[in-house]
């Protein structure tokens, strides 16, 4: 059961990160950015969401143990 919860949580974080990246790319394109610049903004947003998830996980692990 615990493994399933962990896998579902990882999948949810990845989906949220991809949605944030896609939103950032669309907003960058609407602002007139080129495709490489929009892709760069998407990558930055993706990494930010993954980093935030890792930080929250580390904080929760420290509190729990």
């Amino acid at each position: 059961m615990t493994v399933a919860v962990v896998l579902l949580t990882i999948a949810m974080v990845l989906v949220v990160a991809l949605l944030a990246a896609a939103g950032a790319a669309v907003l960058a394109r609407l602002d007139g950015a080129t495709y490489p610049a929009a892709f760069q903004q998407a990558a930055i947003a993706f990494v930010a969401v993954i980093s935030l998830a890792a930080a929250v996980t580390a904080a929760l692990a420290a509190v729990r143990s």
Side-chain angles (χ1 to χ4, degrees), residues 10-60:
I10 290 171
M12 186 180 70
V13 167
L14 286 176
V15 167
V16 169
L18 287 172
L19 285 172
V26 168
L27 288 175
R29 282 296 294 159
L30 288 175
D31 196 36
T34 62
Y35 280 104
F39 184 75
Q40 182 180 11
Q41 292 298 321
I44 290 169
F46 182 81
V47 169
V49 172
I50 297 298
S51 298
L52 180 62
V56 169
T57 303
L60 288 176

